[in-house]
């Protein structure tokens, strides 16, 4: 692909220790149906120590439309913001390093922005073929279901995940960049600032990317904990949009209670290998998430019961 000095779209990918996933991701990006002379690729390395930087440098030598940046400030928001500042296009698309876009991903994502009333759009995230029990659990639970996050519920407005996302460059000038103080929940914060400014979000059902979930219990538990911590910070910033006290989240406690029952009973009444372990994994999911909520509430001095 030849470097385009005036691209229509800039694709930004934040990277941290993703050496295992990068060849698959970059190969899929090379196969995009969106005209190759109309977009550029900006990959931002956020301090990788696993050889990711060397892989990126080698790809960039062979792929002229690709630029590799280094961002020392840690966190996905800082990495994405570095990519935004370096981008030359009027539309910015984002995908995470643990995702693999379908061939028509970029084309379908950008198509949704033909509607001038749409400020930002998200594509669907499907689960990559699981290779571990934890990945199978995350897939069956649809933990990163873009359609669920996009639903407007009585207690929260819709938002979109930046793992599969596109936004007009002018929006950053209007609502600001991703909040670098947030390590989790920065996508909800950004989307809710768009809604407050009068913008419109959309969901592109044919802009599909496969997401690789956490492969072991330790990393999965940490992810759930961080989701809980991040949710308190995000909701605290947008109390005017959230119509109930999300820190007193009885639904999550009820789910944890149900999971505990399943963890005790399922090993005895289920024959399927996965189902016998589902309850225990749900206990890990909801207990770590609620623990994160409690830690986040204490950190932000919010009463949590």
């Amino acid at each position: 692909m030849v470097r385009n000095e005036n691209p229509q779209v800039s694709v930004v990918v934040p990277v941290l220790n993703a050496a295992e996933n990068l060849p698959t991701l970059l190969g899929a990006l090379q196969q995009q149906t969106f005209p190759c002379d109309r977009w550029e690729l900006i990959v931002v390395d956020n301090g990788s120590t696993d050889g990711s930087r060397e892989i990126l440098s080698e790809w960039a030598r062979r792929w002229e439309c690709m630029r590799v940046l280094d961002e020392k400030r840690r966190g996905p928001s800082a990495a994405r913001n570095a990519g935004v500042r370096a981008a030359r296009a009027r539309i910015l698309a984002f995908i995470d390093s643990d995702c693999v876009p379908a061939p028509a991903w970029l084309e379908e994502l950008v198509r949704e922005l033909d509607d001038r009333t749409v400020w930002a759009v998200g594509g669907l995230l499907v689960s990559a073929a699981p290779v571990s029990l934890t990945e199978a659990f995350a897939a069956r639970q649809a933990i990163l279901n873009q359609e669920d996050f996009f639903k407007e519920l009585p207690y929260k407005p819709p938002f979109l995940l930046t793992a599969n996302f596109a936004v007009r460059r002018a929006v950053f000038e209007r609502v600001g960049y991703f909040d670098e103080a947030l390590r989790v929940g920065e996508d909800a914060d950004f989307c809710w600032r768009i809604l407050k400014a009068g913008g419109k979000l959309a969901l592109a059902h044919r802009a599909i990317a496969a997401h690789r979930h956490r492969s072991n219990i330790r990393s999965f538990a940490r992810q759930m904990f961080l989701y809980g911590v991040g949710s308190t910070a995000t909701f605290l910033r947008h109390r005017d949009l959230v119509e109930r006290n999300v820190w007193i989240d009885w639904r999550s406690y009820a789910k944890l209670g149900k999971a505990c029952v399943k963890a005790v009973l399922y090993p005895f009444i289920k024959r399927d290998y996965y189902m016998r372990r589902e309850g225990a994994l749900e206990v890990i999911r909801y207990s770590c998430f609620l623990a994160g909520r409690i830690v986040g509430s204490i950190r932000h001095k919010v009463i949590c019961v």
Side-chain angles (χ1 to χ4, degrees), residues 246-262:
V246 296
W247 299 278
I248 307 176
D249 187 0
W250 297 114
R251 295 195 314 163
S252 292
Y253 288 105
K255 290 178 180 178
L256 176 58
K258 181 180 178 180
C260 290
V261 174
K262 291 171 66 174

Side-chain angles (χ1 to χ4, degrees), residues 286-300:
Y286 293 115
S287 62
C288 289
F289 179 79
L290 287 168
R293 276 269 175 94
I294 294 171
V295 170
S297 298
I298 294 173
R299 182 177 299 173
H300 299 288

Side-chain angles (χ1 to χ4, degrees), residues 132-145:
S132 70
L133 180 65
T134 309
E135 291 181 28
F137 171 76
R140 289 173 66 112
Q141 299 265 314
I143 288 176
L144 293 182
N145 189 327

Side-chain angles (χ1 to χ4, degrees), residues 11-54:
V11 177
V12 177
V13 183
V15 169
L16 176 62
N17 294 333
E20 183 179 355
N21 298 323
L22 283 175
T24 305
L25 165 64
L26 295 172
L29 287 172
Q30 282 191 328
Q31 300 301 315
Q32 291 300 297
T33 59
F34 194 76
C36 62
D37 59 345
R38 293 169 56 191
W39 65 283
E40 65 173 352
L41 175 62
I42 301 173
V43 185
V44 185
D45 184 67
N46 204 204
S48 297
T49 58
D50 67 340
S52 293
R53 189 63 175 82
E54 291 73 17

Side-chain angles (χ1 to χ4, degrees), residues 108 112 121-126 147 150 202-208:
E108 295 294 342
E112 200 70 33
V121 57
L124 296 189
L125 288 166
V126 300
E147 292 179 296
F150 187 65
L203 188 63
H205 289 86
R206 293 185 293 182
I208 300 171

Side-chain angles (χ1 to χ4, degrees), residues 38-259:
R38 293 169 56 191
W39 65 283
E40 65 173 352
L41 175 62
I42 301 173
V43 185
V44 185
D45 184 67
N46 204 204
S48 297
T49 58
D50 67 340
S52 293
R53 189 63 175 82
E54 291 73 17
I55 293 173
L56 293 174
S57 297
E58 178 59 30
W59 275 77
R61 280 194 289 269
R62 296 183 280 110
W63 194 3
E64 291 189 22
C65 83
M66 176 178 170
R67 286 187 284 158
V68 181
L69 308 179
D70 293 300
E71 178 53 61
K72 295 182 179 180
R73 293 171 299 163
R74 299 301 289 268
S77 291
R80 292 191 184 100
N81 286 341
V84 173
R85 294 186 180 98
R88 296 173 293 182
R90 58 182 178 85
I91 294 175
L92 291 101
F94 298 88
I95 190 166
D96 282 357
S97 59
D98 55 4
C99 293
V100 179
W105 165 73
L106 186 57
E107 183 177 0
E108 295 294 342
L109 203 59
V110 173
R111 190 193 309 277
E112 200 70 33
L113 292 173
D114 288 342
D115 181 349
R116 301 300 300 178
T117 67
V118 174
W119 290 25
V121 57
L124 296 189
L125 288 166
V126 300
S127 297
V131 296
S132 70
L133 180 65
T134 309
E135 291 181 28
F137 171 76
R140 289 173 66 112
Q141 299 265 314
I143 288 176
L144 293 182
N145 189 327
Q146 190 84 287
E147 292 179 296
D148 285 347
F149 292 116
F150 187 65
K151 291 177 181 176
E152 184 168 3
L153 300 175
Y155 54 87
K156 75 164 184 65
F159 67 92
L160 297 163
L161 299 174
T162 46
N164 185 353
F165 185 71
V167 60
R168 302 183 191 280
R169 186 182 192 88
V171 173
F172 291 99
E173 300 170 4
R174 183 74 176 270
V175 306
Y177 287 69
F178 295 109
D179 190 335
E180 296 181 11
L182 296 173
R183 294 297 182 94
V184 178
E186 73 282 356
D187 33 23
D189 170 70
F190 185 72
C191 288
W192 291 347
R193 280 188 274 140
I194 288 176
L195 295 179
K196 287 181 179 180
K200 177 182 175 182
L201 305 176
L203 188 63
H205 289 86
R206 293 185 293 182
I208 300 171
H211 176 265
R212 173 69 67 191
H213 295 287
R214 299 298 189 272
S215 60
N216 59 72
I217 291 178
R218 180 177 179 180
S219 60
F220 174 75
R222 183 175 184 274
Q223 181 186 41
M224 293 300 103
F225 176 79
L226 292 176
Y227 282 170
V229 174
S231 67
T232 57
T234 304
F235 288 130
L236 181 62
R237 292 162 189 247
H238 298 280
R239 277 180 162 172
D240 54 331
L241 292 180
V242 180
E243 298 181 5
R244 71 182 177 93
N245 190 342
V246 296
W247 299 278
I248 307 176
D249 187 0
W250 297 114
R251 295 195 314 163
S252 292
Y253 288 105
K255 290 178 180 178
L256 176 58
K258 181 180 178 180

